[in-house]
């Protein structure tokens, strides 16, 4: 069964600043994207310079770059202040011996200091490695070890989850509390900027797949060509915009569309600290006058579940809304359209692609259930198992013609894995299944592997299984994504118990907490089911996750029938 749109939301004018999409579609060239950067004029390349310093040099130093808000405080920084602070951090990185190409990790919660530390690392030519704030010891250790990170910027609280003794390459830990205490001495110009080549490493994001531990996806400085142009056309950023992306920079959405794309386009960026609450989110929009809002389906569904709450707030500043990370169900689009009077523009891309590839350009026709159409300059193919293109309307592997500027440069230390994305000449294979209709709209149909997507976050079953079997009571484990109305999927573990252990509520809770405490909260199974035996392949004895998943889908369907 395939999912295609039965209705659509027509083009709307008015709310958007764009007017000439047809011209963009016809005339687009990635080389034009390069022209948007100051490097086109100066020949000097550095993504941090383009993101912040450039705007100061061009006379926008007094414009607000960042609004930070959490439950208890609110602060703002101009572009000049952000430049001064990145210089300050950059100076300290240099004093600590950081050189071009070094991997500098940043483990901080969503605060201005997190963004500034990332930019400072990039400014001095290092490769920034931002880590999601909910990671626990194992997740932190595995990532820094994988690419031999030498320096980490964190704070006293999160440092408790950094097992430095198990990370031999990690020579230095800097605490933001100390950096912030040192007197800041503004410097003129670009004395801390390391000029690099487009191909030099910019940022590394660890992302999960269906096998093995998370892989380090390395992007090059050239990716900012992709960021700036999609920020302009897809996010529709203009000078007066107040832009809010809800993702943490440890995830690719938080770095590319929370930091680079909006600031490259000189928007004022909102950083929100603290946990999700519908009240906080709505009041943030009202208080800061957010005009562009980029979030994920699970978050929209959480807001939807709050019913009429939105009526208490003035949300009229919002003119453009975007979504990413997981299927955006038509109900959510309809809800936003009816209640908030906005259209949600879905976007499809991946950590590996470094930027938007399939989008709904502002004001163009939206087909609920579809992720949109290829961004200008992007060619999508739906391939069969031999790598041949399928006719429109048929389901196959979602692939994209290579190359484009945001495409990853490498998978750190894993050439085989890198090559596996390019097994068909001239194509990047996403691992997603999709179909494309006659008008070019692409419809997501699921993954082609066992990767789990819960609340828009990629979770590798292998990682969770490996952690589970470290618990003394667990003999074997098979982990899958169980369909879930709110989160898309939730992490579910099927386990067998070792001899001498018997199932109890307390034991299952203990196992769940064990994963949560060691790996990360988002990867901890929300459901654990004890079984006598796990289904396995006859020859190699590998656990058949697909069979477990089929069982869950069958159960879900049976429940529906009962209702
Ligand atoms: C899924 C996030 C449906 C997809 C930027 C992809 C989506 C994976 C959408 C990448 C969408 C992303 N509709 N599914 N609009 N966007 N996905 O690397 O399975 O965290 O392969 O990048 O999320 O997740 P990642």
């Amino acid at each position: 069964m395939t999912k295609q749109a039965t209705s659509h939301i027509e083009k709307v004018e008015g709310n958007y600043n764009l007017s000439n999409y047809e011209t963009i579609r016809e005339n687009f060239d990635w080389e034009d994207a390069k022209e948007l950067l100051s490097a086109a004029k100066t020949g000097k390349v550095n993504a941090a310079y383009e993101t912040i310093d450039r705007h100061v040099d061009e006379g926008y130093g007094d414009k607000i770059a960042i609004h930070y808000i959490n439950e208890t405080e609110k602060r703002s920084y101009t572009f000049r202040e952000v430049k001064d602070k990145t210089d300050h951090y950059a100076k300290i990185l240099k004093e600590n011996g950081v050189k071009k190409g070094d991997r500098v990790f940043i483990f901080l919660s969503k605060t201005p200091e997190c963004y500034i530390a990332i930019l400072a690392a990039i400014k001095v030519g290092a490769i920034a490695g931002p880590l999601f704030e909910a990671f626990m010891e194992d997740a932190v250790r595995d990532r820094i070890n994988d690419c031999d990170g030498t320096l980490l910027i964190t704070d006293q609280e999160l440092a408790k989850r950094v097992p430095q003794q198990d990370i031999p390459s990690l020579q230095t830990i800097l605490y933001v509390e100390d950096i912030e205490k040192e007197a800041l001495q503004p410097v003129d110009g670009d004395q801390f900027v390391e000029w690099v080549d487009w191909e030099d490493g910019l940022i590394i994001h660890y992302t999960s797949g269906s096998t093995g531990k998370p892989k380090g996806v390395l992007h090059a400085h050239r990716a900012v060509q992709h960021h700036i142009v999609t920020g302009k056309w897809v996010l529709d950023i203009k000078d007066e915009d107040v832009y809010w992306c809800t993702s943490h920079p440890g995830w690719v959405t938080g770095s590319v569309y929370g930091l680079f794309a909006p600031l490259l386009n000189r928007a004022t960026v909102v950083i929100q600290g603290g946990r999700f609450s519908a009240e906080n989110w709505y009041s943030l929009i009202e208080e800061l006058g957010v005009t562009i809002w980029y979030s994920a389906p699970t978050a929209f569904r959480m807001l939807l579940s709050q019913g009429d709450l939105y009526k208490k707030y003035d949300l009229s500043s919002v003119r453009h809304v975007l979504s990413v990370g997981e299927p955006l169900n038509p109900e959510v689009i309809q809800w936003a359209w009816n209640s908030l009077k906005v259209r949600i523009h879905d976007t499809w891309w991946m950590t590996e692609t470094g930027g938007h590839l399939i989008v709904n350009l502002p004001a163009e026709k939206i087909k609920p259930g579809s992720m949109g159409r290829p961004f200008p300059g992007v060619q999508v193919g739906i391939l069969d198992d031999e790598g041949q293109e399928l006719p429109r309307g048929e389901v196959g592997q979602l692939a994209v013609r290579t190359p484009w500027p945001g495409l990853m440069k490498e998978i750190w230390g894993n050439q085989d894995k890198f090559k596996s994305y390019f097994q068909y000449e001239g194509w990047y294979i996403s691992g997603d299944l999709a179909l494309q209709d006659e008008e070019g709209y692409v419809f997501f149909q699921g993954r082609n592997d066992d990767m789990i997507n819960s609340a828009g976050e990629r979770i590798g079953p292998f990682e969770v299984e490996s952690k589970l079997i470290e618990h003394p009571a667990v003999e074997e484990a098979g982990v899958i994504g169980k369909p879930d109305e709110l989160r898309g999927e939730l992490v579910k573990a099927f386990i067998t118990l070792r001899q001498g252990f018997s199932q109890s509520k307390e034991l299952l809770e203990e196992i769940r907490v064990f994963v949560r405490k060691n790996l990360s909260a988002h990867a901890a199974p929300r459901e654990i089911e004890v079984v006598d035996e796990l289904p396995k392949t006859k020859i190699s004895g590998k656990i058949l996750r697909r069979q477990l998943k089929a069982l869950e889908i069958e159960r879900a369907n049976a429940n529906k029938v009962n209702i």
Side-chain angles (χ1 to χ4, degrees):
M1 197 183 65
T2 59
K3 298 161 218 156
Q4 286 200 49
T6 48
S7 62
H8 59 256
I9 300 177
E10 277 301 340
K11 285 187 179 190
V12 285
E13 311 288 339
N15 248 348
Y16 305 100
N17 287 320
L18 274 174
S19 54
N20 56 341
Y21 338 98
E22 295 313 326
T23 353
I24 310 166
R25 285 207 178 279
E26 279 157 29
N27 304 325
F28 184 82
D29 187 332
W30 284 115
E31 281 302 309
D32 302 341
K34 233 178 184 175
E35 294 297 314
L36 297 170
L37 295 162
S38 103
K41 284 176 228 106
T42 62
K44 295 176 172 180
V45 176
N46 182 295
Y49 176 83
E50 298 281 352
T51 309
I52 300 293
D53 302 35
R54 169 201 187 166
H55 306 308
V56 178
D57 288 349
E58 292 179 358
Y60 295 90
D62 294 332
K63 192 183 170 191
I64 302 286
I66 293 175
H67 285 309
Y68 173 59
I69 189 161
N70 67 19
E71 276 99 3
T72 52
E73 65 166 325
K74 191 172 144 192
R75 357 177 203 134
S76 300
Y77 298 90
T78 63
F79 276 96
R80 181 171 295 104
E81 286 168 328
V82 177
K83 176 194 179 297
D84 289 344
K85 276 178 83 80
T86 49
D87 280 336
H88 178 64
Y89 278 56
K91 174 172 155 274
I92 293 170
L93 289 177
K94 288 215 154 194
E95 285 166 1
N96 280 278
V98 172
K99 299 179 305 301
K100 184 177 165 189
D102 287 354
R103 275 74 63 206
V104 169
F105 276 84
I106 296 97
F107 187 31
L108 291 168
S109 49
K110 235 197 283 152
T111 53
E113 290 71 29
C114 175
Y115 289 55
I116 284 161
I118 293 170
L119 286 164
I122 295 168
K123 192 172 240 184
V124 301
I127 295 168
L131 296 172
F132 181 48
E133 59 189 302
F135 284 158
M136 304 307 277
E137 278 203 13
D138 290 1
V140 171
R141 184 199 57 220
D142 286 353
R143 285 162 175 80
I144 309 181
N145 268 339
D146 183 69
C147 65
D148 295 324
T150 53
L151 188 142
L152 171 72
I153 305 177
T154 185
D155 61 22
Q156 301 286 352
E157 195 49 40
L158 291 181
K160 292 179 191 154
R161 299 190 221 145
V162 181
Q164 195 180 3
Q165 69 286 356
D166 300 334
I167 314 176
S169 61
L170 188 60
Q171 296 153 8
T172 315
I173 297 184
L174 300 177
Y175 298 96
V176 277
E177 290 92 339
D178 298 337
I179 301 179
E180 291 292 321
K181 250 188 248 148
E182 274 190 44
L184 185 149
Q185 290 157 338
V187 293
D188 273 338
D190 57 13
Q191 83 179 76
F192 293 111
V193 181
E194 176 87 24
W195 301 111
V196 299
D197 293 325
W198 289 120
E199 279 305 316
D200 281 326
L202 168 73
I203 194 163
I204 188 162
H205 281 290
Y206 278 82
T207 191
S208 301
S210 60
T211 55
K213 291 203 171 175
K215 315 277 187 295
V217 176
L218 178 67
H219 289 286
H221 279 254
R222 65 172 143 78
V224 290
Q225 299 165 16
H226 197 151
H227 305 162
I228 196 168
V229 77
T230 48
K232 186 174 160 73
W233 295 125
V234 185
L235 304 180
D236 193 26
I237 291 172
K238 300 284 150 104
D239 238 349
E240 60 278 15
D241 279 312
V242 178
Y243 172 92
W244 182 32
C245 167
T246 56
S247 177
H248 183 280
W251 304 121
V252 78
T253 303
S255 73
V256 171
Y257 293 106
L259 191 168
F260 297 119
L263 290 173
L264 284 162
N265 281 286
R266 223 195 297 131
T268 296
V269 160
V270 174
I271 303 175
Q272 184 240 4
R275 297 172 68 86
F276 172 87
S277 101
E279 283 88 354
N280 287 349
W281 276 33
Y282 284 143
S283 62
L284 179 156
I285 292 175
E286 179 178 89
E287 193 175 339
L288 297 177
V290 170
T291 60
I292 308 178
W293 181 25
Y294 198 1
S295 195
T298 296
F300 293 126
R301 286 190 287 263
M302 285 176 168
L303 294 175
L304 186 157
S305 72
Q306 299 293 313
D308 280 353
L309 182 69
Y310 70 90
K311 289 188 177 159
K312 289 198 189 151
Y313 302 86
D314 178 2
L315 307 174
S316 57
S317 59
V318 178
R319 70 171 182 84
H320 189 31
V321 183
L322 303 105
S323 171
V324 68
E326 43 169 335
L328 179 65
N329 43 320
E331 295 78 11
V332 176
I333 299 190
Q334 289 300 345
W335 165 76
W337 183 235
N338 297 337
S339 56
L340 309 180
K341 305 281 177 285
V342 293
R343 307 186 329 151
I344 304 183
H345 297 74
D346 199 7
T347 58
W348 176 90
W349 59 294
M350 302 174 69
T351 307
E352 294 87 336
T353 74
H356 294 145
L357 292 180
I358 297 172
V359 301
N360 286 279
L361 283 180
E364 285 194 326
K365 182 169 81 181
I366 287 177
K367 294 190 181 181
S370 154
M371 311 192 285
R373 289 192 286 167
F375 184 74
V378 171
Q379 190 198 332
V380 157
I382 305 294
L383 309 186
D384 66 15
D385 290 342
E386 267 85 55
Q388 297 302 312
E389 268 190 84
L390 287 164
R392 293 283 164 111
E394 287 191 25
V395 180
Q397 309 186 63
L398 174 55
V400 184
R401 270 261 175 254
T402 55
W404 62 90
L407 179 61
M408 64 179 160
K409 178 182 159 66
E410 62 183 66
I411 299 283
W412 192 271
N414 197 336
Q415 187 66 16
D416 286 347
K417 175 71 191 168
F418 182 73
K419 281 195 191 139
S420 71
Y421 291 91
F422 308 98
Q423 51 182 306
Y424 307 120
E425 183 73 32
W427 294 105
Y428 162 84
I429 306 291
S430 67
D432 286 357
L433 298 171
L435 67 85
Q436 190 171 29
D437 72 8
E438 292 297 338
E439 290 182 282
Y441 284 80
V442 181
F443 293 77
F444 181 78
Q445 306 288 317
R447 281 289 298 177
N448 200 18
D449 59 20
D450 295 337
M451 194 185 85
I452 301 165
N453 185 333
S454 183
E457 282 158 4
R458 276 166 75 163
I459 296 158
F462 175 81
E463 250 187 302
V464 187
E465 289 161 1
S466 309
K467 188 79 310 185
L468 280 164
I469 57 175
E470 279 179 31
H471 189 279
V474 181
E475 173 88 46
E476 287 182 312
V479 171
I480 57 148
K482 172 182 165 177
D484 180 71
E485 291 233 324
L486 184 63
R487 293 184 164 75
E489 289 182 338
L490 58 78
V491 182
K492 166 147 193 183
F494 290 84
I495 58 168
T496 56
L497 293 178
R498 279 183 192 281
Q499 260 193 345
F501 289 91
S502 54
Q503 176 175 352
S504 69
K505 232 173 121 187
E506 291 72 31
L507 178 65
L508 296 190
E509 181 57 15
E510 185 192 307
I511 296 171
R512 205 176 65 78
V513 170
F514 176 76
V515 180
R516 203 187 157 85
K517 284 231 167 102
N518 289 292
L519 194 58
S520 150
H522 79 287
R526 285 187 174 253
E527 273 183 32
I528 304 181
E529 183 172 333
V530 178
V531 290
D532 293 337
E533 209 183 332
L534 286 166
K536 289 188 190 146
T537 53
K538 283 214 178 74
I539 300 165
S540 59
K542 260 174 58 182
I543 291 167
L544 279 168
R545 296 191 192 111
R546 271 164 208 224
Q547 208 157 311
L548 296 170
K549 182 145 188 168
L551 172 72
E552 280 303 336
I553 291 173
E554 206 176 292
R555 284 177 178 168
N557 290 341
N559 279 340
K560 270 186 210 144
V561 175
N562 290 342
I563 297 162

